[in-house]
Amino acid sequence: MQEKNKRKKVTISLYDKDIAALEAGFALVPDGYGETVIDGGNHAQFGSYGQQKGDGEATIPAAEQWQITADAILETVNSY
């Protein structure tokens, strides 16, 4: 029988503070997960694919949202 992978699994959640729809999903993430709230960001700017149905208007530039996202991912990865 092959030994299971013993590496720690990492979960990080990045989202805009006004997205209430994600609350139900938080029950599924493990304790100690990383969370970054991007105040002023929106869903469309994560992938630069234009306004999405139900998206609020972003109040920060896309480049700023991308930098916050990249910084949070790097901080999480570098902590392991």
Side-chain angles (χ1 to χ4, degrees):
M1 185 174 190
Q2 191 174 12
E3 189 175 328
K4 286 186 178 182
N5 186 341
K6 293 186 186 236
R7 287 187 289 184
K8 188 171 185 174
K9 292 180 175 54
V10 177
T11 302
I12 183 170
S13 178
L14 300 128
Y15 60 93
D16 173 59
K17 69 177 183 143
D18 294 325
I19 301 178
L22 294 176
E23 290 181 11
F26 290 128
L28 304 174
V29 296
D31 291 337
Y33 74 97
E35 177 181 75
T36 299
V37 178
I38 302 175
D39 192 13
N42 71 4
H43 181 244
Q45 288 188 163
F46 275 110
S48 190
Y49 42 69
Q51 195 72 13
Q52 302 295 298
K53 184 178 179 181
D55 242 357
E57 192 69 35
T59 58
I60 62 172
E64 183 178 345
Q65 183 172 335
W66 299 334
Q67 188 62 58
I68 293 167
T69 301
D71 290 346
I73 292 169
L74 286 172
E75 182 180 337
T76 301
V77 170
N78 288 333
S79 71
Y80 288 90

